[in-house]
Amino acid sequence: MHRAWALFGLLATVAVGAAVLWQFDPNVAGNPLPPCPSLWLTGLFCPGCGTTRALHALLHGDLPGALAMNPLMVLSLPPVAVLLAHELQRLPKAMAPLAKRLGNARAWAVVVIGYAVLRNLPWPPFSWLAPGGFG
């Protein structure tokens, strides 16, 4: 029963987030969505910078725009969906080995930290990883 409530909570959160991103464009000045605190404090792009704009673009069917804002987030959505399905015990047993490999926290840490470093380098192709860098 606990998993059912967790799934309900997750779906409710996603629905509310989607409704907010449908209504408000994070690319428009004066929108009520918060800016990235990491960028504001440090001047550097964190691994999540551009995620709100990328999700807004995805919700509106703009895959190239989403990839331009945060390619790692967009490309990680399918693996995260597999991990979530595995956690909720909704993944076919044949895919369990894939979920185990995708669940390697060390690999994710290397990718996320590497991405954070590379997207702050000021020359191509790394500058393309910055939000809007490839748009």
Side-chain angles (χ1 to χ4, degrees), residues 55-112:
L55 290 172
H56 174 80
L58 280 177
L59 189 60
H60 288 86
D62 183 8
L63 181 59
L67 286 167
M69 289 299 140
N70 193 321
L72 179 62
M73 187 280 303
V74 173
L75 296 174
S76 69
L77 288 176
V80 168
V82 168
L83 290 171
L84 180 61
H86 180 68
E87 180 64 25
L88 295 171
Q89 299 176 348
R90 299 288 186 245
L91 192 68
K93 292 201 186 296
M95 293 183 71
L98 173 63
K100 183 174 178 162
R101 292 192 72 163
L102 290 174
N104 183 337
R106 287 186 181 146
W108 281 96
V110 168
V111 169
V112 170

